[in-house]
Amino acid sequence: MATSYVFPFLVLVFLSSFTLLLLALLPSVSPSSPFSSSSGPPWPSASCGPGQSWAVKLHTNKNLEREYGEESSDDLDLIANRQAGLQNQGQIGQLEGHYLLCSGKPDVESASVWRKSVQPGDVLAAHPHVLWFSQERVLSRSKRSVAFNDPRYPQQWHLHNDINKGMDINVTGLWERNITGRGVTVVVVDDGVEHTHQDIQPNYSPEGSYDLNSNDPDPMPHPDAHSDNHHGTRCAGEIAAVPNNSFCAVGVAYGSKVAGIRVLDGPLTDSLEAIAFNKHYQVNDIYSCSWGPDDDGHTVDGPHPLGKAALQHGVIAGRRGFGSIFVVASGNGGQYNDNCNYDGYANSIYTITIGAVDERGRMPFYAEECASMLAVTFSSGGNRLRSIVTSDWSMQQGTGCTEGHTGTSAAAPLAAGMVALMLQVRPCLSWRDVQHIITFTATKCDSSADWRVNGAGLHHSHQHGFGLLNAWRLVNAAKVWESVPFLVSYQSPVIKEDMPILTYSNELIRTWTVTADDLRQSGMQTLEHVAVTVTITHPCRGNVEIVLVCPSGMISVIGARRAVDRDSAGYQDWTFSTVRCWGERAEGQYRLKISDHKEPLTQQCGAVGVLKQWKLTLYGSSMTFSEVKERRRLVEDAMSGKYLDSNFSLPCPPGLDIPPEIVSPFTSNSLKVNCDYTQPKLGVYSFPKLSLACHGPIRSALENTPYLCTNKPSTPISFSHFDDVLSVSRDRIIFLYLFNVSYSPVFHQREPSMPGGGCGLRGLWRLLSLGSAPFWWVGVPVGPLPLVGMRGCVAGAWSPGSAAASWCGWLPETAPPKLMFYFYLYIFVLVYPCSVSLLKYV
Ligand SMILES: *[C@@H]1O[C@H](CO)[C@@H](O)[C@H](O)[C@H]1NC(C)=O
Ligand SMILES: *[C@@H]1O[C@H](CO)[C@@H](O)[C@H](O)[C@H]1NC(C)=O
Ligand SMILES: *[C@@H]1O[C@H](CO)[C@@H](O)[C@H](O)[C@H]1NC(C)=O
Ligand SMILES: *[C@@H]1O[C@H](CO)[C@@H](O)[C@H](O)[C@H]1NC(C)=O
Ligand SMILES: *[C@@H]1O[C@H](CO)[C@@H](O)[C@H](O)[C@H]1NC(C)=O
Ligand SMILES: [Ca+2]
Ligand SMILES: [Ca+2]
Ligand SMILES: [Ca+2]
Ligand SMILES: [Ca+2]
């Protein structure tokens, strides 16, 4: 979609169709004389099925050939054709003297009389040139790739379910195509990983691992009399257990690397969690987290400020800017009526929230539902249903292999493994791309669930999210997926209410309307997550039900009732989220409906609850509604596997090194939404448009603050041209700036007081983060020689009318004193939820 990709793509399309044409023409170009020894490839006609074809070996002996005359083979061709109705299809592969004959369409004129009595075999047998012939039969062959010798592989129904067809992750077709997660690292954040285990050791990544409980690099689990610390090892095996080693089982992404972060075997603190979420985040691509707050049905908890900041920082800076992928389990509190929207890890927009279904595709007793559930995959079910077969630790009573891995804990690693497969075929998928692809490709299961199709045509149920993850669909979609435009958000003001919550079946209804004007600022067109932050007082908060209705009419139970939750603390600024409006138009009226489901007999909960205040936050992008539909079409078009089978490949932009300066815990309070985009369009992004809208705030920020670089240019620098955007994608825009900068003495001046020299990146961020500027900028000069080796940076503020810019920077002393410079600058603009203030620097 991005225009920057359109040209290479067209070239690719042209080249491939040209090649195909050439190939198609080849046989007719090469000599078609069948039994001559021309080695054109055989092109069996459609009618040449098994049983209709004959393989023939001719004498290749030159003497014999001479004896019977040079044309004898053509002669045989003729006879075979006339008498037996066989068409020559040419030489068989590289086997000289071997030909394939097919009984094609009956040639009425020449052979109808003969065919009744004459068998092709007889004709061939009678011919002097035929050394050997054979009628071809269908050979039974099974593909090697799925014939692993691992003893428990046959029991791994989640990989290949022979009993309930379709109830598996459909991964074997990917393995056959050598898609196994190669080049991707998944880290299991858990109670350790037994990395010396036979099924793990060859795929173990010590570089991605750490032990936060003992503060050492080795995450080996500790045997423990009270709690089995086998959990992490089991999860690791699901992801990357080594295949075909005659031991135990096979992992979903057995070509990937698996690392371990040991953090659950000891007291867990906010800071430990924060460290875990960002540990080795340029090595680890995917964080698999099969844990969360207590699933007791009355807990409301999630990541605390540092953990939140780490998740946020992970998606900004992890994977070189493409964003760490956090996969979390939705929780096992089903029997307590727990709901994953009370789990801040599941609820977070940064996480991929995965629930479980049993081998029949149904919701197991332990599974939780919620509006923020993205998708489900397989795990254990009731008594008679099979659990997940995977590696196990070999400590204590462990055998190194188990058939009893259960719960949503077992589902999340399968999802993490599937994401690893996606990242192999398309390493530059952003954290949001992965979520988008899941929403588009998950399949409906379990007709008893509360499926509902939203305004964008996506089906979702509170039990199963968008449905079952299907590795085949995920990877085919990933292969053709262009990154979505950067994330934008819209936030309503905090709406003070102080309204009593009515008793069911009455309900308190509040509305907030988001106008086109409100969205013009961010350029948001379509939705991803929708979040509602509420402060509610209530004597028994489990009785309160909170429903959000999106403009399309799509209903989300964002705050479900929980019978066990008798807590009188209510909700203090708790954020509920939903993915159910994904892909819908953002504009319109949002309705919040709150009701109190009182129990008639309990006095304790009689008091009236109050909605104190609430706030609506929309997350989405500039993708238009029709672009969302078009993407769905493209994705479905890719499902045949044709893009996996061909050499098709979309370009991937390079990653971005984000220096440690910005590793600072910023809170969600620092997300600001007052950025001034006008209609950012995927791909075609004309710079002046952007500059007018978005750089205004920067400019005023610059004008109203003391310059960090003292050498504020006296002469405005004019640039006459800038090129278009290279890509507008993920959470950043990459521009190609073609500057024609009139030389100005400013380039000679240095700013020695800044650490790292002059106007370094730190200075830039500092500069631009003032006034909640929406961008972080990194200027990377490349291009014509005079500028190579130049170190410098640009901070620009452009006003609509004049092309005035503020600059700081320098050139080497060796730069000619007077020069017209053409700057080619790739400027990486990292936009994170449109506007992030780095409070640390302000
Ligand atoms: C598995 O190993 C066996 C030998 O033990 C080998 O014959 C077979 O080809 C291997 N299968 C795969 C898919 O590599
Ligand atoms: C499962 O994968 C195969 C390729 O291995 C594909 O042909 C088939 O359509 C897939 N099934 C589903 C339901 O996606
Ligand atoms: C699969 O990929 C690996 C690594 O690139 C390569 O060594 C191997 O030959 C490939 N196998 C097939 C069957 O393409
Ligand atoms: C893909 O490219 C490789 C190497 O460039 C080539 O060997 C292979 O035949 C190609 N495959 C297809 C299906 O075009
Ligand atoms: C660069 O700018 C100078 C002065 O502003 C102008 O004379 C020159 O034509 C420009 N060159 C290009 C290629 O735009
Ligand atoms: Ca250790
Ligand atoms: Ca194995
Ligand atoms: Ca829970
Ligand atoms: Ca989530």
Side-chain angles (χ1 to χ4, degrees):
M1 267 181 205
T3 31
S4 49
Y5 293 161
V6 166
F7 183 67
F9 178 70
L10 285 180
V11 170
L12 207 79
V13 166
F14 173 75
L15 283 181
S16 46
S17 38
F18 182 71
T19 314
L20 278 179
L21 191 71
L22 216 66
L23 284 174
L25 289 176
L26 264 176
S28 60
V29 169
S30 64
S32 57
S33 162
F35 279 107
S36 72
S37 50
S38 90
S39 56
W43 296 88
S45 66
S47 65
C48 191
Q52 289 176 291
S53 60
W54 294 77
V56 174
K57 182 170 195 248
L58 299 183
H59 285 287
T60 46
N61 189 317
K62 294 285 181 228
N63 294 335
L64 200 70
E65 184 115 343
R66 227 167 275 131
E67 193 183 317
Y68 282 89
E70 278 174 17
E71 301 303 317
S72 63
S73 53
D74 287 353
D75 183 45
L76 169 106
D77 180 26
L78 214 64
I79 292 167
N81 193 358
R82 280 275 166 87
Q83 301 186 345
L86 294 176
Q87 307 279 333
N88 173 38
Q89 301 294 321
Q91 182 176 304
I92 298 172
Q94 299 301 309
L95 301 175
E96 211 173 300
H98 294 72
Y99 297 91
L100 185 70
L101 305 184
C102 269
S103 54
K105 285 188 303 208
D107 188 333
V108 180
E109 212 175 310
S110 61
S112 57
V113 185
W114 292 98
R115 191 156 302 116
K116 284 179 190 116
S117 51
V118 178
Q119 296 299 314
D122 298 341
V123 177
L124 293 173
H127 199 281
H129 277 186
V130 175
L131 257 183
W132 168 92
F133 66 91
S134 163
Q135 187 172 11
E136 294 204 290
R137 314 234 168 264
V138 180
L139 305 177
S140 164
R141 291 287 181 276
S142 46
K143 284 185 173 129
R144 291 267 145 61
S145 54
V146 292
F148 296 125
N149 61 21
D150 308 84
R152 301 293 183 88
Y153 177 70
Q155 279 92 57
Q156 290 190 288
W157 58 271
H158 64 280
L159 301 174
H160 53 87
N161 197 337
D162 305 321
I163 296 179
N164 302 306
K165 289 281 177 210
M167 289 295 128
D168 58 41
I169 63 168
N170 204 17
V171 72
T172 52
L174 298 171
W175 293 345
E176 284 162 15
R177 287 164 177 81
N178 214 5
I179 296 164
T180 58
R182 210 168 40 251
V184 182
T185 303
V186 187
V187 63
V188 175
V189 183
D190 212 294
D191 57 11
V193 168
E194 187 183 330
H195 51 83
T196 50
H197 188 283
Q198 267 189 73
D199 258 0
I200 290 172
Q201 191 277 325
N203 283 337
Y204 175 63
S205 164
E207 300 80 15
S209 298
Y210 202 79
D211 180 346
L212 288 169
N213 290 128
S214 308
N215 202 22
D216 65 58
D218 180 357
M220 186 65 90
H222 291 197
D224 180 337
H226 307 293
S227 62
D228 278 341
N229 287 320
H230 57 209
H231 195 253
T233 306
R234 293 178 168 197
C235 295
E238 288 184 271
I239 295 161
V242 175
N244 219 26
N245 60 351
S246 305
F247 186 80
C248 192
V250 174
V252 172
Y254 57 73
S256 67
K257 294 277 172 215
V258 65
I261 291 175
R262 180 169 170 263
V263 70
L264 294 189
D265 192 12
L268 187 60
T269 59
D270 191 18
S271 62
L272 271 188
E273 216 173 89
I275 297 169
F277 282 145
N278 292 157
K279 197 71 189 171
H280 299 311
Y281 66 4
Q282 305 308 355
V283 176
N284 296 321
D285 300 299
I286 303 162
Y287 290 71
S288 181
C289 305
S290 290
W291 46 272
D294 294 338
D295 288 325
D296 51 17
H298 56 84
T299 296
V300 177
D301 197 10
H304 287 242
L306 297 175
K308 270 186 194 161
L311 286 173
Q312 194 178 61
H313 182 63
V315 301
I316 296 172
R319 286 176 64 229
R320 300 177 54 78
F322 297 110
S324 304
I325 312 294
F326 296 105
V327 178
V328 302
S330 62
N332 294 341
Q335 58 269 57
Y336 304 108
N337 248 317
D338 203 3
N339 180 288
C340 33
N341 259 17
Y342 297 102
D343 169 345
Y345 300 90
N347 215 352
S348 162
I349 69 165
Y350 307 120
T351 61
I352 292 173
T353 307
I354 297 296
V357 287
D358 61 28
E359 65 164 317
R360 298 165 313 171
R362 299 287 181 80
M363 186 174 180
F365 68 93
Y366 57 80
E368 299 183 21
E369 21 184 296
C370 62
S372 61
M373 177 102 68
L374 209 54
V376 290
T377 188
F378 297 100
S379 187
S380 57
N383 272 340
R384 293 164 179 257
L385 297 171
R386 291 175 287 179
S387 302
I388 299 295
V389 177
T390 179
S391 318
D392 195 4
W393 73 347
S394 58
M395 300 172 185
Q396 294 184 332
Q397 265 90 55
T399 59
C401 201
T402 179
E403 295 185 0
H405 196 26
T406 57
T408 53
S409 280
L414 296 181
M418 288 187 250
V419 175
L421 302 174
M422 294 165 74
L423 294 187
Q424 178 187 330
V425 301
R426 195 127 174 81
C428 54
L429 290 179
S430 74
W431 62 280
R432 282 168 51 244
D433 290 330
V434 173
Q435 298 194 13
H436 273 273
I437 292 173
I438 289 173
T439 67
F440 282 15
T441 61
T443 58
K444 227 164 140 172
C445 55
D446 186 4
S447 53
S448 64
D450 68 343
W451 294 105
R452 199 167 154 168
V453 176
N454 77 6
L458 300 169
H459 47 77
H460 188 280
S461 85
H462 289 90
Q463 290 90 43
H464 304 309
F466 290 98
L468 261 180
L469 291 175
N470 178 321
W472 173 261
R473 290 176 57 80
L474 287 168
V475 171
N476 278 279
K479 182 81 179 172
V480 298
W481 188 265
E482 303 243 19
S483 281
V484 293
F486 49 88
L487 182 67
V488 294
S489 63
Y490 162 83
Q491 216 167 54
S492 76
V494 174
I495 307 157
K496 304 264 183 224
E497 298 278 8
D498 266 325
M499 297 291 284
I501 296 169
L502 305 182
T503 303
Y504 186 80
S505 59
N506 292 316
E507 46 193 13
L508 170 66
I509 301 182
R510 311 308 298 159
T511 62
W512 181 258
T513 302
V514 179
T515 65
D517 231 31
D518 293 333
L519 295 175
R520 186 161 301 126
Q521 293 213 313
S522 65
M524 187 191 300
Q525 296 270 353
T526 50
L527 293 171
E528 293 169 15
H529 289 84
V530 178
V532 174
T533 307
V534 296
T535 299
I536 285 176
T537 60
H538 194 277
C540 298
R541 70 181 172 202
N543 286 355
V544 177
E545 183 174 87
I546 308 172
V547 170
L548 178 75
V549 187
C550 286
S552 69
M554 185 70 176
I555 291 171
S556 304
V557 181
I558 53 174
R561 281 181 287 153
R562 293 194 301 177
V564 189
D565 187 0
R566 309 280 77 178
D567 200 299
S568 58
Y571 300 109
Q572 189 61 47
D573 261 336
W574 181 257
T575 300
F576 294 104
S577 79
T578 176
V579 294
R580 287 167 65 86
C581 306
W582 201 283
E584 294 182 349
R585 290 191 178 91
E587 190 186 329
Q589 190 187 65
Y590 292 79
R591 262 182 307 155
L592 190 65
K593 306 205 289 187
I594 310 180
S595 55
D596 187 347
H597 292 249
K598 292 206 181 298
E599 297 138 67
L601 302 178
T602 324
Q603 288 302 310
Q604 178 205 353
C605 301
V608 173
V610 174
L611 169 66
K612 294 299 217 185
Q613 59 181 43
W614 67 293
K615 185 177 73 177
L616 175 74
T617 308
L618 311 180
Y619 297 93
S621 76
S622 62
M623 251 200 300
T624 62
F625 190 64
S626 55
E627 280 170 332
V628 172
K629 298 222 142 146
E630 175 61 10
R631 273 185 187 256
R632 288 188 65 204
R633 198 193 58 73
L634 283 173
V635 160
E636 289 308 324
D637 176 60
M639 287 309 152
S640 63
K642 62 184 172 188
Y643 295 103
L644 292 184
D645 291 336
S646 71
N647 277 351
F648 177 82
S649 147
L650 289 171
C652 259
L656 181 63
D657 281 321
I658 296 169
E661 275 101 316
I662 69 159
V663 180
S664 61
F666 35 79
T667 70
S668 57
N669 295 335
S670 65
L671 291 185
K672 302 255 173 73
V673 284
N674 50 2
C675 162
D676 269 354
Y677 282 103
T678 50
Q679 307 300 317
K681 232 174 108 217
L682 181 63
V684 223
Y685 210 119
S686 111
F687 178 80
K689 233 182 185 173
L690 182 81
S691 68
L692 305 193
C694 241
H695 295 194
I698 301 178
R699 181 164 162 265
S700 51
L702 286 173
E703 281 176 348
N704 298 325
T705 43
Y707 278 82
L708 297 169
C709 301
T710 51
N711 51 356
K712 185 177 180 179
S714 45
T715 333
I717 292 160
S718 67
F719 38 90
S720 53
H721 179 69
F722 14 13
D723 223 323
D724 253 338
V725 158
L726 293 180
S727 78
V728 176
S729 63
R730 348 193 258 274
D731 298 322
R732 73 181 79 146
I733 318 170
I734 300 176
F735 295 104
L736 176 65
Y737 280 20
L738 177 62
F739 287 97
N740 175 2
V741 182
S742 304
Y743 177 73
S744 153
V746 71
F747 290 113
H748 265 343
Q749 296 169 17
R750 287 171 180 278
E751 171 47 60
S753 64
M754 287 295 293
C759 203
L761 300 179
R762 174 194 284 261
L764 258 182
W765 275 315
R766 184 154 181 187
L767 215 55
L768 295 173
S769 59
L770 297 172
S772 52
F775 292 145
W776 299 338
W777 297 33
V778 185
V780 182
V782 293
L785 267 182
L787 300 179
V788 170
M790 187 203 83
R791 297 175 59 227
C793 62
V794 277
W798 292 270
S799 63
S802 70
S806 304
W807 283 75
C808 54
W810 67 93
L811 287 175
E813 301 295 348
T814 54
K818 262 211 175 327
L819 191 60
M820 304 293 277
F821 290 113
Y822 286 99
F823 277 15
Y824 287 87
L825 291 177
Y826 287 99
I827 299 198
F828 295 91
V829 181
L830 191 83
V831 185
Y832 184 70
C834 196
S835 127
V836 175
S837 296
L838 294 173
L839 297 176
K840 184 179 167 188
Y841 293 122
V842 175

